[in-house]
């Protein structure tokens, strides 16, 4: 039994915060942010819009898209580092709001790699036959842990949510291989104290190395070569990090998802938001080989090779 993605949904807040507006908040320029990160604007959730609200909207769409009912969901996994509160989990809040009566529920804490951890966990339950349908949500309201006076971080992050329903798919489709990893010794480079604190240069170096290596590893584990890859969805943190990964795979620009310019870094939400946008734009088609790869605080990382389709 292969586990794959059978439904997708996303939700981003309406409020757009541009680089030009940020120029008035911290000592930065639109030019610096564009050239160093690729970010032009990001979305910011309203005061009354919490992580669970964004996650709920994305999840509802993914369930509708999958054709299953909320009652059929066996497990809800929510990847987030910005839950509404430490407990109850966002996953439990969604269980109630979605009416997923039989679902088990928990949050997954693996920062920006959280969605990769969630998808790989879901795969295990599905492929062992324990569960049929798992809802995996990547959602963040990073604006509430961003220090809006710190130019090193304030320009980078945004809010949003992406969700997938996973279930059994036909032979040859779904997740072909994966890699997950962690290195706690790098925890000091990216963490939350009151706000997000980061050593940008160290995270940058780690990300460039890891994104390329993990992508190549999952391609090899699937018994394929980089020539077989149809589309790359990297974690949307910085266009320069993403470009390095694309070049390692020798892919043309149009075969890599780029949503960082519109949404900034939305942590666990960035890969599923990108996935939804590329599928809806017709750039990902049935039978395409997709590589998704993420990295984040922990340090954590994860990559998946997936044959698109049910
Ligand atoms: O999901 C994972 C989350 N984190 C990441 O992915 C972050 C990875 N790292 C990065 O994306 C980059 O390291 C940054 C975008 C954070 C920084 O870019 P950089 O090219 O590595 O710049 P830098 O840290 O080497 O800083 C260069 C200069 C510094 O000034 P000095 O010390 O050379 O005088 C910074 O103070 O740029 C300065 N700087 C800024 N200037 C204008 C830092 N932030 C800003 C800013 N506006 N917003």
């Amino acid at each position: 039994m292969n586990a794959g993605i059978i439904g997708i949904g996303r939700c981003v807040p309406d409020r757009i915060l541009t680089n030009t507006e940020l120029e008035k908040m911290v000592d930065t320029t639109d030019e610096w942010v564009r050239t160093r990160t690729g970010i032009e604007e990001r979305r910011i959730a309203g005061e009354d819009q919490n992580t669970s609200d964004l996650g709920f909207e994305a999840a509802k769409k993914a369930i509708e898209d999958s054709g299953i009912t909320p009652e059929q969901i066996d497990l809800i996994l929510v990847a987030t580092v910005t839950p509404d509160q430490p407990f109850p989990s966002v996953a439990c809040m969604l269980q109630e709001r979605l009416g997923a009566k039989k679902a088990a529920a928990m949050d997954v804490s693996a920062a920006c790699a959280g969605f990769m951890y969630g998808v790989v966990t879901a795969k295990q339950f599905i492929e062992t036959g324990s569960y049929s349908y798992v809802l995996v949500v990547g959602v963040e309201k990073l604006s509430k842990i961003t220090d809006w006076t710190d130019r090193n971080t304030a320009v980078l992050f945004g809010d949003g949510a992406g969700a997938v329903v996973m279930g059994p798919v036909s032979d040859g489709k779904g997740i072909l291989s994966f890699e997950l990893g962690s290195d706690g010794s790098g925890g000091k480079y990216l963490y939350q104290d009151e706000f997000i604190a980061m050593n940008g240069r160290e995270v940058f170096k780690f990300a460039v190395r890891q994104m390329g290596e993990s992508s190549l590893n999952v391609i090899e584990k699937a018994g394929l070569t980089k020539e077989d890859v149809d589309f790359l969805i990297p974690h949307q943190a910085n266009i320069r990090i993403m470009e390095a990964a694309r070049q390692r795979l020798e892919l043309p620009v149009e075969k890599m998802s780029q949503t960082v310019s519109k949404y900034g870094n939305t942590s666990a939400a960035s890969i599923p938001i990108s996935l939804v946008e590329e599928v809806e734009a017709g750039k990902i088609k049935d039978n395409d080989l997709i590589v998704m790869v993420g990295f984040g605080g922990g340090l954590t990382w994860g990559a998946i090779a997936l044959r698109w389709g049910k």
Side-chain angles (χ1 to χ4, degrees), residues 183-196:
D183 176 8
S185 73
K188 56 185 176 290
Y189 298 136
L190 180 55
Y191 59 94
Q192 185 192 350
D193 190 349
E194 182 184 359
F195 298 117
I196 300 167

Side-chain angles (χ1 to χ4, degrees), residues 11 50-60 90 94 137-139 160-161 163:
C11 170
N50 216 329
T51 302
S52 61
D53 300 308
L54 297 170
F56 172 67
E57 293 302 329
K60 210 169 55 170
V90 176
L94 296 193
V137 183
V139 56

Side-chain angles (χ1 to χ4, degrees), residues 36-110:
R36 309 305 286 175
T37 72
I39 300 168
E40 294 170 20
E41 56 188 45
R42 67 287 291 143
R43 301 298 179 99
I44 303 294
E47 288 278 304
D48 56 351
Q49 196 173 32
N50 216 329
T51 302
S52 61
D53 300 308
L54 297 170
F56 172 67
E57 293 302 329
K60 210 169 55 170
K61 288 181 196 154
I63 295 166
E64 274 162 24
D65 185 49
S66 73
I68 68 160
T69 63
E71 291 81 5
Q72 287 176 275
I73 297 171
D74 298 294
L75 173 66
I76 300 174
L77 299 171
V78 176
T80 187
V81 291
T82 49
D84 294 31
Q85 65 277 308
F87 68 95
S89 63
V90 176
C92 281
M93 298 173 79
L94 296 193
Q95 183 276 331
E96 199 254 327
R97 284 177 73 177
L98 293 165
K101 293 197 179 68
K102 75 168 180 192
M106 67 173 172
D107 287 356
V108 176
S109 177

Side-chain angles (χ1 to χ4, degrees), residues 132 142 151 198 295:
S132 297
L142 292 170
R151 72 173 183 175
M198 185 177 73
F295 67 92

Side-chain angles (χ1 to χ4, degrees), residues 9-309:
R10 73 186 244 306
C11 170
V12 294
D14 295 332
R15 160 93 169 97
I16 294 171
L17 176 65
T18 63
N19 291 345
T20 318
E21 284 174 86
L22 274 165
E23 287 178 356
K24 296 176 196 118
M25 298 160 66
V26 288
D27 180 17
T28 192
T29 60
D30 173 47
E31 207 264 329
W32 192 96
V33 181
R34 272 175 203 258
T35 52
R36 309 305 286 175
T37 72
I39 300 168
E40 294 170 20
E41 56 188 45
R42 67 287 291 143
R43 301 298 179 99
I44 303 294
E47 288 278 304
D48 56 351
Q49 196 173 32
N50 216 329
T51 302
S52 61
D53 300 308
L54 297 170
F56 172 67
E57 293 302 329
K60 210 169 55 170
K61 288 181 196 154
I63 295 166
E64 274 162 24
D65 185 49
S66 73
I68 68 160
T69 63
E71 291 81 5
Q72 287 176 275
I73 297 171
D74 298 294
L75 173 66
I76 300 174
L77 299 171
V78 176
T80 187
V81 291
T82 49
D84 294 31
Q85 65 277 308
F87 68 95
S89 63
V90 176
C92 281
M93 298 173 79
L94 296 193
Q95 183 276 331
E96 199 254 327
R97 284 177 73 177
L98 293 165
K101 293 197 179 68
K102 75 168 180 192
M106 67 173 172
D107 287 356
V108 176
S109 177
C112 305
F115 184 74
M116 295 289 91
Y117 271 73
V119 167
V120 171
T121 305
K123 166 188 155 71
Q124 314 306 320
F125 282 107
I126 294 164
E127 292 189 357
T128 52
S130 304
Y131 288 151
S132 297
Y133 299 111
V134 182
L135 171 69
V136 185
V137 183
V139 56
E140 302 288 1
K141 185 177 177 180
L142 292 170
S143 59
K144 68 181 175 186
I145 59 164
T146 299
D147 178 354
W148 292 105
T149 65
D150 173 16
R151 72 173 183 175
N152 291 304
T153 52
V155 300
L156 302 177
F157 301 105
D159 302 334
V164 299
V165 175
M166 293 183 59
V169 292
S170 43
D171 255 6
K173 296 207 170 156
I175 298 172
L176 307 178
S177 61
F178 71 89
E179 172 176 295
L180 296 178
S182 71
D183 176 8
S185 73
K188 56 185 176 290
Y189 298 136
L190 180 55
Y191 59 94
Q192 185 192 350
D193 190 349
E194 182 184 359
F195 298 117
I196 300 167
M198 185 177 73
N199 180 330
R201 273 179 219 184
E202 289 299 332
V203 177
F204 192 97
K205 279 190 285 183
F206 152 72
V208 165
R209 190 182 64 245
Q210 175 277 319
M211 294 271 267
E213 276 172 19
S214 294
S215 299
L216 292 172
N217 287 345
V218 292
I219 294 166
E220 196 188 320
K221 278 187 193 171
L224 298 166
T225 65
K226 53 190 175 190
E227 287 73 34
D228 297 311
V229 177
D230 294 299
F231 213 82
L232 173 67
I233 305 183
H235 169 46
Q236 308 279 312
N238 182 319
I239 191 71
R240 289 151 58 213
I241 298 172
M242 294 156 55
E243 277 296 308
R246 182 179 72 74
Q247 281 158 16
R248 282 285 292 272
L249 300 192
E250 295 175 53
L251 282 175
V253 175
E254 63 275 11
K255 289 195 169 188
M256 179 179 78
S257 180
Q258 190 287 99
T259 60
V260 73
S261 59
K262 296 193 286 187
Y263 303 131
N265 180 349
T266 58
S267 184
S270 91
I271 292 175
I273 289 174
S274 285
L275 173 68
V276 176
E277 298 218 347
E278 303 303 352
V279 171
E280 287 179 353
K283 290 203 209 153
I284 292 175
K285 298 174 293 299
D286 202 36
N287 263 324
D288 276 355
L289 180 72
I290 309 168
V291 172
M292 302 187 209
V293 59
F295 67 92
L299 299 167
T300 54
W301 61 91
I304 288 167
L306 175 120
R307 180 78 62 191
W308 189 250

